[in-house]
């Protein structure tokens, strides 16, 4: 409603909001990995069994 004139109050409120967002994100991640029954894989590389023989491309001349 009124702007906070004290910078320490604004900083404390920001830190509280960040802590709350981190907790919510961690809870969401924990619930999602529990549903999937496996950890989340990040990155663009396919698993070894999906990418075929060795996963390397050989150039022929």
């Amino acid at each position: 409603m009124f702007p906070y004139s004290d910078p320490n109050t604004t900083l404390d409120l920001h830190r509280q909001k960040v802590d709350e967002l981190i907790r919510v994100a961690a809870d969401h991640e924990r619930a999602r990995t529990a549903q999937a029954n496996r950890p989340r894989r990040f990155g663009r590389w396919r698993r070894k069994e999906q990418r075929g023989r060795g996963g390397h491309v050989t150039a022929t001349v």
Side-chain angles (χ1 to χ4, degrees), residues 5 10 18-19 24 44 48 51 61:
S5 60
T10 306
V18 168
D19 289 341
V24 168
R44 63 187 178 105
K48 191 171 189 175
R51 65 181 180 225
V61 181

Side-chain angles (χ1 to χ4, degrees), residues 32-54:
R32 193 177 54 73
T33 55
Q35 289 174 351
N37 200 17
R38 62 179 169 77
R40 172 104 169 110
R41 283 187 67 247
F42 292 100
R44 63 187 178 105
W45 302 109
R46 295 182 291 172
R47 293 185 186 271
K48 191 171 189 175
E49 62 271 6
Q50 292 176 344
R51 65 181 180 225
R53 74 178 168 87

Side-chain angles (χ1 to χ4, degrees), residues 19-34:
D19 289 341
E20 179 185 350
L21 290 174
I22 289 172
R23 264 194 314 274
V24 168
D27 291 344
H28 176 73
E29 178 72 16
R30 196 175 309 119
R32 193 177 54 73
T33 55

